[in-house]
Amino acid sequence: MNFSAWAINRPLPAIMVFVVLCVAGLWGFHKLPVARFPDVALPMTTVTISQPGASPSQLETEVTRRVEDSVATIPNIKRVVSSVSEGVSMTSIEFVLDTDLATALDDTRDAVTRIRTDLPQDIQEPVVSKVDIGGSLMTYAVSAPGLSADELSWLVDRQISKAMYGVPGVAVVKRVGGVERQVRVDLDPNALQALGVTAGDVSQQLARIQVERAGGKSEQDGSQQVIRTLGTVASVDALRDYSISLPDGRAVRLSAVARISDGAADPTQVALLDGKPVVAFSLSRTRGSSEVDVAEGVEAALATLKAEHPGVQFTLVTTVIDETLRSYESSMTMLWEGALLALLVVWLFLRDWRATWVSAVALPLSIIPTFAVMHLFGFSLNIITLLALSVVVGILVDDAIVEIENIVRHLRMGKPPLEAARDAAAEIGTAVIATSLTLAAVFVPVAFMPGIAGKFFREFGWTAATAVLFSLLVARLLTPMMAAYVLKAQPETHKETRLMTWYLGWVDAALRHRARTLWIATGLFVASLAIVPLIPTTFIPFSDLGRSNLSLELPPGTTLQQTTALSEQARAMLGDMPELEQVYTTVGSVLDLGDPGKAGVGEPRKATLILDWGKADGRDRDQKTLEREARAKLAALPGVRVSYLSSEPGELMQLVLAGDDPQRLQEAATALDRDLRTIKGLGSVTSSASLLRPEIVITPDSARAADLGVATADIAEAARIATSGDYVQRLAKLNLPERQIPIRVGFAESTLSQPALIGQLRVRGKNGPVPLAAVADIREGSGPSQISRYQRQRNITFSAELNGRPLGDVMQEVQALPSLKTLPDGVSFLNAGDAEVFVELFVGFAIAMAAGLVCIYMVLLLLFNHALMPLTILTAVPLCAGGAFGALLLTQNLLSLPALIGLLMLIGIASKNSILLVDYAVIAEDEHGLSQHDALVDACRKRAQPVIMTTLAMGAGMLPIALGWAGDSSFRAPMAIAVIGGLITSTLLSLIVIPAAFTVVDDLGTWFANRFGKKLPVTA
């Protein structure tokens, strides 16, 4: 069925179809969320188990290994990675990509539930959660001069969090810094010793007395009544009068053995804004919600809170909304700029405003319905989908340009508009369908790429393919119909330009010397491949976000106060940098970067300084230069490991050494660490090789302990309760109307600084309390501060900042290191993190390119019904390589993810130009009876102009991206540069080489027909 003729004869139904599509598209655009990256749910779960005070070695033995052994039975596991630090064991389970996340989460919960009784009874309840890529959306610092630290912390926990959760799209609100309100019962060691009572006795008696319990039911006077036992107090004053039983039967008030105060718990984390203490909170959004809508809702909620609390100030310290808006606005601007430049090309060639207007309609009518499909598939307006639309902006008008140029050519033959539109649409129909389906066949395999990159580029492939198919619908239905009723008849013209005469002379020479032509083309392709080793490779190009996450790591055993003081010293050392606008510091907590492997676990010895450099266009130096200067300034800090944490891919290289023999593993790690530091240009090189932390080791004397009736568990409990308090779930609580306040029993911090305290602690024995030193030996020792495990083995992970160097180049140098070539037996080397994704990415794109070529061949085989003709069309693909690689080399761009997208596009674009030439050559040979030579010359005469027009239109559409006219173009520019370079060489060479290749393939088909006695069909 000829759809174009149907639309020309019945214009109203065609118009109605596009009205409906546009209404659906505008509705979809209104509903589409705006985000920076696609919502990717990687099949990954984490099991976090806390046991306050437990050492990493103890947790590894009693918790981590049991969790790993249990989850190992779950099907479809790709890898299991564990990190054990003081008091926390975190195991990450990564599944193969096609695993259902909900099923994986249920299986993980079941695996942990099976071993719950085998785990220590005093652990906190295991937390099983899924991993959402995205991380923190924004962070606000809250300050209020009239509020104390605990009051401000409660304001954030209670009122601000409640208001934030009321904003649609907010998933998690997390407080950073501040303190927890706590009733402190600071025991007097002398009083305990005199009265013969232990710290554990006091804590346990309070926990048993300070309770509210149900007591059954009773019936009186025909009615049923509930019995409750109330043993709680509502104030600290009442608590002071509580009686504590002594071993000899007497009782004393609690105030006789301790000082009771309503205060704050010992701080575990600190937040500072330009050196001033603040309480901060970070927000994360739900999957599928719009980052922009969430940000607007948060700002409205904060405005309401400011009105209710006039003295409270909110300062935005980190946000990804700026990058999201910048990407969105720049992409929309590029769409308009690219469309206008493409239409300018049409007008310059046709010099007919009516024809230009008909071509212009194709762009919005192709993009607007695409939004409806994006909404139907659950996509968002993110950097990937907007990149897809930016990529195809020059392509979407191509089909319309080919149609309108052919119609204008028929008009110039003297035909009336209706006849010219029918004849031209019928003549060009197969070529237009073939070119669009070819492009769709290139983009669709991207949606099925393997690996993590495939998860992100699923949206790219479907968005680009959908827009191309809608452009085909416009070209076959609307463009001929509008041309038939809008264009005017034109005078006949057969004048051939001097440029066309010159070009046809070259075509004639290429046809007469086809072997030489094809050998020259082959030589150019081989030469272009020689350019590839000269282009550095990386994952994603560096992007100047205006914000750096500077990490300071101090030796194990460093206190929170010491880390805070040193972070302030570091801030002061950077204070003279004019670009530095603001410094937000966190101590004891970690940034939510959306990847548990990058953030790690918060410790008192770790601090993060978020350095705000301001917008890139407001300073002379880029972010990498500033980071290098900041690192140089901080080199004088003693005993501090300085590094940068990045949420951006491609800025950190991770390597893993794994093995069962700790000694061999440590030797291999030491050698690799030494070799890594010899690679020039790298920033900080860190490893997870266990740093030793200072410990006080209590070793019970079994004979003395047995003689005095003291158990090892009693010794451990006495030391724990006296120094850090009992476990949270066991603590007594002070009930207030709005919350419960834990009552912590233990020694004051000033008392704990006395060296002899541990030995004087009292432990319950069969004849009364005895000193700890009487039943155990106490000495100073050391133990690992952190243990890393990979696939149920001990491992050491190395992280190296690329510092602007291409990831591919650094990986090649790493592979050549002597320490990796001579690894001990039983120690294996693995790429991890971005290095692993980098390999997956290039392999995935190689597969996508191969699949695209196969799909193109099958599409052309179906359309042309000839086994060899698609090979002629695909001959143009290698001709892109020289221009693409040469443009990347000349502009000093890296061979990265966006450049690979550009190379993938060129496969379809080059095929598109060839199809126009080959299609008309077949028509001229079969329908017009021309010889092979004359048919090819006539095809070049008729189709050279549309080929050049579409090439210039695509190049013009890419020009704003390549030049970076709007926003940060660091991600998009390599793609546009590769496409423009490939377009130039492909178009110039294919106009000469394709006719020569056609003759060879056609003659080969004739030889096959004569050899096997069959006539190969040429046309459909």
Side-chain angles (χ1 to χ4, degrees), residues 31 165 400 617 934 951:
K31 292 290 186 179
Y165 280 120
D617 53 7
D934 293 342
T951 298

Side-chain angles (χ1 to χ4, degrees), residues 942-987:
K942 298 290 196 314
R943 295 292 171 84
Q945 179 168 305
V947 166
I948 294 174
M949 286 177 64
T950 54
T951 298
L952 290 177
M954 282 185 279
M958 293 283 178
L959 196 60
I961 306 175
L963 298 178
W965 286 354
D968 181 15
S969 62
S970 58
F971 183 81
R972 304 180 184 91
M975 175 204 68
I977 289 169
V979 169
I980 292 174
L983 276 174
I984 293 172
T985 56
S986 173
T987 303

Side-chain angles (χ1 to χ4, degrees), residues 677-745:
R677 298 181 188 277
T678 63
I679 298 178
K680 296 181 180 180
L682 291 186
S684 174
V685 177
T686 60
S687 76
S688 62
S690 294
L691 296 172
L692 296 180
R693 61 170 190 169
E695 295 179 342
I696 295 177
V697 181
I698 301 174
T699 306
D701 185 311
S702 56
R704 285 183 287 168
D707 186 45
L708 296 174
V710 177
T712 302
D714 296 332
I715 296 174
E717 187 173 84
R720 185 190 69 248
I721 293 176
T723 56
S724 60
D726 209 341
Y727 295 120
V728 175
Q729 60 266 35
R730 297 183 185 178
L731 291 179
K733 306 294 191 298
L734 182 67
N735 291 334
L736 298 181
E738 72 279 6
R739 57 173 166 164
Q740 283 188 324
I741 308 298
I743 302 173
R744 181 262 189 193
V745 178

Side-chain angles (χ1 to χ4, degrees), residues 1003-1016:
D1003 292 349
L1004 187 62
T1006 303
W1007 180 83
F1008 268 106
N1010 295 332
R1011 177 72 174 79
F1012 297 102
K1014 293 182 180 180
K1015 176 68 176 176
L1016 289 178

Side-chain angles (χ1 to χ4, degrees), residues 540-572:
I540 288 180
F542 164 70
S543 180
D544 191 331
L545 302 178
R547 184 179 64 251
S548 301
N549 303 323
L550 178 68
S551 172
L552 304 178
E553 188 174 350
L554 280 71
T558 306
T559 64
L560 186 74
Q561 292 76 15
Q562 292 171 332
T563 307
T564 303
L566 190 135
S567 65
E568 279 300 286
Q569 182 182 348
R571 184 183 67 85

